[in-house]
Amino acid sequence: RQMCIRDRYKRMEVDPEQGLTGQIAAARLKEYGENVLSEKKSTPWYVQLIHELTGFFSILLWAGSALCFIAYGLDAVSYTHLTLPTIYSVQISVVAVSLKKK
């Protein structure tokens, strides 16, 4: 193993005790550029939101909300009691948006 490390030092032209010389460091900086990470491209917010709204659990909640609308809609004479399915739909949207922020 020690031989392997020495070979690497030699191949990289580095003295393990002193490090790189100023000339070699400047040449490598010119050749390779600065030692920085490239910025990761982020996914647009609307794609993330659609992803959250169409996940497995979200689809189950949307289906439950739709069934609530249907059940309450068939049973009612007035539409004032449709607040529960409306609350479910809004709750699904709020949860999806809050998950997107995490």
Side-chain angles (χ1 to χ4, degrees):
R1 180 172 175 189
Q2 287 295 327
M3 190 63 172
C4 184
I5 291 174
R6 282 191 213 128
D7 288 342
R8 287 183 186 180
Y9 285 139
K10 187 181 263 187
R11 187 178 60 174
M12 297 299 291
E13 300 173 5
V14 176
D15 180 5
E17 303 295 324
Q18 308 238 342
L20 292 174
T21 64
Q23 291 175 336
I24 293 175
R28 287 187 185 178
L29 180 62
K30 186 176 180 182
E31 181 179 354
Y32 300 113
E34 291 191 19
N35 186 17
V36 294
L37 295 174
S38 59
E39 189 174 321
K40 180 182 174 187
K41 291 184 180 180
S42 64
T43 307
W45 66 269
Y46 52 87
V47 173
Q48 292 177 356
L49 182 63
I50 290 171
H51 177 70
E52 291 296 333
L53 290 174
T54 57
F56 177 72
F57 188 66
S58 293
I59 291 191
L60 287 176
L61 290 173
W62 283 116
S65 177
L67 289 175
C68 258
F69 271 111
I70 292 168
Y72 277 99
L74 292 176
D75 188 36
V77 174
S78 77
Y79 294 105
T80 58
H81 63 285
L82 286 177
T83 52
L84 184 62
T86 305
I87 290 171
Y88 286 158
S89 299
V90 170
Q91 184 180 9
I92 294 166
S93 302
V94 168
V95 167
V97 170
S98 68
L99 288 176
K100 179 190 132 338
K101 290 182 181 180
K102 290 182 182 180

